[in-house]
Amino acid sequence: MSAWGQVGDLWQLVPVQRAGAGLLLAAFGLPVVGVVIVGLDIMPVRFAMMHVALLGIAVGQLVGLDPVLCALVACALAGAGVAPLARTAEGLSGAMGLLMSLAIAAALLLLALSGVNANGAFALLWGSILAVRPADLVVLGVLAVAVPGLFLWRRRDLALLLHDRELALSSGVAVQRLTVVLLVLVAVAVAGAIRLTGALLVDALTLLPALAARRLGRSLVSITLWAIGIGVVVNVVGFLISLAWDLPPGPVLVLAAGAVALAAHLIPERRTSSWRTSASSSAPSPQSPH
């Protein structure tokens, strides 16, 4: 049987169908979250939320609740909690570093004191794409609608915030509230990707498509659309390759997304202006004092 014939047979299995649906839904929401991560310059957020997710998983195992649900709640609370510290990009990065240290310490201490088997908690960090459940698809479906919807609805405010916080404030943008919403979405998205690729490989679904899209797009809207398009192609092609040649999907997705990001950065840049320039030019000019 050929490799692609094997894909047809595997596609008849419900777990494979759920995994494919999960990756397709993820492609509409998670790459846009990557645009936020790159725009706010908060690369450490992935690692911070990975550790927070581990803490949530440990709590879930201890009290007998769904570990992934606990991870989602923990990440959402953490994202909202660090928002007041996000007055500058440096402040937000520092807050993520602090959060990462505290979360991993609390998770390890909880696992040690409770006697809960740590193997189950750490296993989720590596992901198990064929273990995607209907509840996971619901979370990814909500993200697939909410994240692009927010970008289309508040694209001017988001462009200003991602360009310059002070400029956004002077232009009347509700910076604090919008930052809270963005950080909660980022945190929930990272937790939502745990079942697909694992928190350790979440960049395949978030950051790498966004990095490629920033090279190709001329405005925040076009960058967002490029990120979604790249996410769809990478997720579909990477998953099919992993099925055809019996390879682990997580690493294949990372390599596919990385190859696209590298190819995008090898293309000569022809833009005369960036989305940051257009965001700045669209901001209202400050009124001169009388």
Side-chain angles (χ1 to χ4, degrees):
M1 181 183 296
S2 67
W4 293 111
Q6 176 177 293
V7 172
D9 291 339
L10 290 174
W11 198 255
Q12 305 302 316
L13 302 176
V14 173
V16 174
Q17 295 173 2
R18 287 178 180 170
L23 284 172
L24 189 59
L25 290 173
F28 285 93
L30 299 185
V32 185
V33 169
V35 174
V36 175
I37 294 175
V38 175
L40 290 178
D41 194 19
I42 51 172
M43 302 298 180
V45 70
R46 299 119 61 218
F47 305 108
M49 292 307 156
M50 178 185 73
H51 290 82
V52 172
L54 177 60
L55 176 59
I57 291 168
V59 171
Q61 288 189 328
L62 177 63
V63 300
L65 296 176
D66 184 345
V68 176
L69 176 61
C70 291
L72 286 170
V73 173
C75 287
L77 293 175
V82 299
L85 302 177
R87 303 189 185 280
T88 63
E90 294 78 9
L92 187 53
S93 296
M96 290 298 174
L98 175 63
L99 179 63
M100 179 171 56
S101 301
L102 295 177
I104 188 60
L108 293 176
L109 181 61
L110 183 61
L111 290 171
L113 294 178
S114 64
V116 173
N117 184 3
N119 290 333
F122 282 99
L124 280 174
L125 294 181
W126 293 104
S128 179
I129 195 169
L130 296 180
V132 170
R133 306 161 304 172
D136 301 318
L137 295 180
V138 171
V139 172
L140 294 170
V142 170
L143 289 171
V145 174
V147 178
L150 175 65
F151 262 63
L152 291 176
W153 177 41
R154 302 293 296 273
R155 57 184 178 274
R156 173 188 170 276
D157 292 349
L158 286 167
L160 288 172
L161 176 59
L162 298 180
H163 168 59
D164 186 276
R165 180 186 175 91
E166 298 303 322
L167 178 61
L169 277 170
S170 65
S171 302
V173 178
V175 167
Q176 188 63 30
R177 183 173 59 192
L178 190 56
T179 301
V180 170
V181 172
L182 290 178
L183 288 177
V184 170
L185 283 177
V186 168
V188 171
V190 171
I194 288 177
R195 187 73 67 171
L196 289 175
T197 62
L200 298 177
L201 298 178
V202 72
D203 287 353
L205 304 182
T206 56
L207 189 61
L208 294 178
L211 290 175
R214 274 170 58 89
R215 181 74 175 183
L216 300 172
R218 295 175 179 269
S219 65
L220 184 60
V221 172
S222 65
I223 288 174
T224 301
L225 294 176
W226 270 110
I228 293 173
I230 292 170
V232 170
V233 172
V234 166
N235 287 5
V236 171
V237 173
F239 188 50
L240 291 177
I241 289 175
S242 69
L243 291 177
W245 282 277
D246 193 22
L247 299 172
V252 173
L253 290 171
V254 172
L255 291 174
V260 173
L262 179 60
H265 280 77
L266 292 177
I267 297 174
E269 190 170 10
R270 298 177 180 177
R271 294 182 298 173
T272 57
S273 63
S274 69
W275 69 270
R276 293 183 182 275
T277 304
S278 61
S280 179
S281 63
S282 67
S285 302
Q287 296 296 323
S288 302
H290 296 290

